[in-house]
């Protein structure tokens, strides 16, 4: 009888410890260590770049700083692009990715996404001198794409005759190829290429969007409490009016911020 009581006590202790560890999760872990590991893409304005002091800056970076502030911890940034954004979450090298990442069904198999903190669509940017007017005009042309990006997948379906030029980092690598005239066109989020075309009179964007993608914060699967808190964080960002203020800060006072729903 005494042995059963001891065994029962040990079992209850083990279960209680397991439950406590499960409840603690990522949120408590971040707060206890005092910093959060955030993946950002620093390849191009206005989403993410390095300023004159070589410090991270941009729309996504501002949101990352806000996240750290709300958690009461220090942000630690890692510059990530393409498929590395997913793999580094999976391997726990990052706690969150705020890196212009489209929330797609394919990625959602490996990553949990918050409600969107921005929206963007795929847009074509091209050399003005080539008079490219449509997708069909890209047949036989050199088009730079980010490896593993939604733009790559789209062009493979829509314009199989295009010659894809791959880069791991569309910005700055793909942007440089465009500015040097070494490729005929490129495809990326409208938030990036629209801004690019305003800074280089040799480039022009085509009318129309080829997607309407939600841009969301990505976190590792397996922690629903952390995901819920992150959803509330984005909801507060939108509903407070700070989302529209941040958008106008980076795209101009006359810019129309994409409509977002601050619900969770």
């Amino acid at each position: 009888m005494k042995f059963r009581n001891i065994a029962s006590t040990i079992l209850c202790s083990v279960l209680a410890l397991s439950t406590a560890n499960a409840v603690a999760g990522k949120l408590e872990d971040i707060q206890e260590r005092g910093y959060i590991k955030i993946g950002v893409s620093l390849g191009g304005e206005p989403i993410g770049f390095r300023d004159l002091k070589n410090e991270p800056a941009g729309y996504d970076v501002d949101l990352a700083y806000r996240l750290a502030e709300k958690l009461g911890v220090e942000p630690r940034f890692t510059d990530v692009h393409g498929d590395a954004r997913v793999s580094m979450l999976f391997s726990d090298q990052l706690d969150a990715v705020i890196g212009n990442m489209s929330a797609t069904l394919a990625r959602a198999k490996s990553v949990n996404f918050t409600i969107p903190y921005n929206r963007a669509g795929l847009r074509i940017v091209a050399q003005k001198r080539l008079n490219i007017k449509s997708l069909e005009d890209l047949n036989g042309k050199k088009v730079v794409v980010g490896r593993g990006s939604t733009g790559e997948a789209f062009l493979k379906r829509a314009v199989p005759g295009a010659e894809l030029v791959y880069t791991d980092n569309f910005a700055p690598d793909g942007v440089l190829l465009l500015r040097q005239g070494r490729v005929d066109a490129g495809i990326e989020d409208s938030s990036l290429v629209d801004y690019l075309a305003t800074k280089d009179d040799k480039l022009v964007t085509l009318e129309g969007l080829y997607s309407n993608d939600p841009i969301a914060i990505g976190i590792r699967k397996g922690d629903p409490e952390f995901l819920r808190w992150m959803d509330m964080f984005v909801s507060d960002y939108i509903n407070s009016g700070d989302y529209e203020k941040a958008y106008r800060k980076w795209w101009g006072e006359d810019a129309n911020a994409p409509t977002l729903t601050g619900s969770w």
Side-chain angles (χ1 to χ4, degrees):
M1 185 70 175
K2 186 180 293 185
F3 175 78
R4 288 181 180 176
N5 289 338
I6 293 173
S8 178
T9 299
I10 293 173
L11 178 59
C12 288
S13 298
V14 170
L15 289 174
L17 180 61
S18 298
T19 301
N21 288 337
V23 169
K26 179 66 73 175
L27 188 60
E28 287 75 11
D29 180 47
I30 290 168
Q31 292 176 317
E32 286 178 5
R33 78 166 99 104
Y35 63 89
I36 180 171
K37 301 173 289 185
I38 306 176
V40 291
S41 295
L42 301 178
E45 301 179 50
I47 297 294
F49 60 101
R50 291 192 178 275
D51 62 19
L52 295 177
K53 297 181 180 179
N54 203 36
E55 295 294 330
Y59 174 79
D60 279 2
V61 176
D62 280 358
L63 184 61
Y65 274 118
R66 180 188 180 94
L67 173 61
E69 180 184 359
K70 294 294 184 181
L71 286 168
V73 298
E74 168 197 349
R76 295 190 179 179
F77 297 119
T78 299
D79 189 7
V80 291
H81 305 271
D83 292 339
R85 295 174 295 187
V86 175
S87 62
M88 292 184 74
L89 278 176
F90 188 76
S91 61
D92 212 27
Q93 296 177 70
L94 297 173
D95 299 315
V97 170
I98 306 178
N100 198 35
M101 186 159 60
S102 301
T104 66
L105 285 175
R107 287 176 179 154
K109 295 176 183 177
S110 306
V111 175
N112 273 342
F113 287 105
T114 63
I115 61 175
Y117 69 86
N118 197 5
R119 298 193 77 90
L122 291 174
R123 197 190 298 277
I124 302 294
V125 58
Q127 303 293 342
K128 187 181 294 185
R129 59 181 170 77
L130 296 178
N131 200 34
I132 293 172
K133 299 294 186 182
S134 66
L135 285 177
E136 290 72 22
D137 293 338
L138 296 178
N139 280 298
K141 298 292 194 301
K142 291 183 178 180
V143 185
V144 63
V145 298
R147 193 183 307 276
S149 67
T150 52
E152 175 196 355
F154 170 76
L155 277 188
K156 281 183 174 179
R157 295 192 310 268
V159 195
E163 181 184 344
L164 301 188
V165 177
Y166 290 96
T167 176
D168 289 329
N169 307 322
F170 187 93
D173 299 338
V175 170
L176 183 61
L177 290 174
L178 283 160
R179 284 177 167 165
Q180 292 177 340
R182 294 163 60 190
V183 293
D184 302 316
I187 185 168
E188 240 314 332
D189 287 345
S190 56
S191 55
L192 174 61
V193 298
D194 285 350
Y195 188 83
L196 172 62
T198 65
K199 301 296 181 180
D200 192 326
D201 59 10
K202 298 188 300 295
L203 301 174
V204 63
T205 55
L206 274 63
E207 291 184 5
L209 298 177
Y210 298 104
S211 67
N212 186 6
D213 301 323
I215 309 299
I217 300 174
I219 64 173
R220 184 177 176 176
K221 283 186 173 293
D223 195 332
E225 294 300 324
F226 187 44
L227 177 61
R228 181 175 175 82
W229 189 92
M230 293 288 274
D231 274 339
M232 292 179 69
F233 164 75
V234 178
S235 178
D236 174 73
Y237 174 59
I238 296 168
N239 291 333
S240 67
D242 288 344
Y243 156 63
E244 291 191 3
K245 291 178 184 176
Y247 198 90
R248 288 194 295 269
K249 171 185 174 181
W250 291 105
W251 278 274
E253 285 299 322
D254 295 330
N256 293 316
T259 301
L260 299 181
T261 301
S263 60
W264 51 272

